[in-house]
Amino acid sequence: MQEITFDQIKRDPAIDTYIRCADASLQTMGYTEHSAAHVARVAETAKYILETMGADSRAVDLAQIAAYLHDIGNLVNRADHAQSGALMAFHILERMGMPPEDIAAVVTAIGNHDEGTAEPINAITAALIVGDKSDVRRSRVRNEDTTAFDIHDRVNFATKKSIVKINEEHTLLKLKLTVDTHYGSVMDYFEIFLDRMILCRRACQTLGLQFKLIINEQQML
């Protein structure tokens, strides 16, 4: 058994293939981008949250690993991708020689990240949830025809900036969005993201934080 690092995960060619092929499947179905750019951003947000909250370096690394692997289940099917992804991650990490305790932490986080079945049961899982659900941005939209946008395209394309910020007292996490209402309304955002924001609030509670959603400098949640 050996301590597998986040850098090793990023360099693994099989993992890179799984992420690319899963994203290609989602692209065929009309979903927004779920490529290496998405999982890398989720990993960076998870790292920021746990480092800011004083987690040890191993927990931070495991959260980044979970974040990087969290969407590989889309290779199997979009339905239940959190659970299939957790099983895939189990076999990948076992192959690499990761200790069972570390595998358990990563698999638990992946299996609990999707809002349909999510449960923010620990800090690593909670950091992954917030990182995933806060990744709303224009560059995730693949459709180049703005007249053919669905609601997910409109919301992501309208979001010019998305920032996760924890206050100096480490009591509050803010998700601040700058939205161009020419492309999508605030109500569009709530129509498809309300469940995700409620899940973020629950995740923040696990981390000992309050959660606030701020859109165009107005507090919404």
Side-chain angles (χ1 to χ4, degrees), residues 38 41-42 45-46 49 126-135 164 200:
H38 168 61
R41 179 163 175 148
V42 175
T45 302
I49 292 170
L128 168 56
I129 287 170
V130 175
D132 184 34
K133 307 314 171 191
S134 63
D135 186 19
V164 172
C200 282

Side-chain angles (χ1 to χ4, degrees), residues 42-76:
V42 175
E44 186 62 30
T45 302
K47 176 185 178 183
Y48 162 73
I49 292 170
L50 291 187
E51 284 188 337
T52 303
M53 296 304 292
D56 64 69
S57 60
R58 188 56 185 155
V60 172
D61 216 40
L62 290 173
Q64 290 181 280
I65 291 170
Y68 206 76
L69 298 176
H70 80 277
D71 269 341
I72 58 173
N74 287 304
L75 186 65
V76 179

Side-chain angles (χ1 to χ4, degrees), residues 134-201:
S134 63
D135 186 19
V136 188
R137 53 188 160 83
R138 180 166 292 187
S139 56
R140 294 193 72 183
V141 178
R142 308 187 218 247
N143 189 348
E144 297 180 357
D145 181 3
T146 58
T147 64
F149 278 179
D150 64 15
I151 189 169
H152 291 84
D153 291 332
R154 290 200 305 272
V155 166
N156 278 277
F157 196 83
T159 304
K160 298 168 66 177
K161 186 182 293 186
S162 172
I163 299 173
V164 172
K165 183 70 175 177
I166 297 173
N167 66 354
E168 291 184 1
E169 296 77 18
H170 297 173
T171 58
L172 174 67
L173 183 147
K174 294 181 181 179
L175 172 56
K176 298 185 69 174
L177 304 177
T178 302
V179 173
D180 184 346
T181 54
H182 176 73
Y183 293 104
S185 70
V186 172
M187 286 308 298
D188 277 345
Y189 184 89
F190 271 99
E191 182 177 338
I192 63 171
F193 281 102
L194 181 58
D195 287 346
R196 300 180 195 184
M197 294 302 98
I198 292 172
L199 179 56
C200 282
R201 183 167 63 187

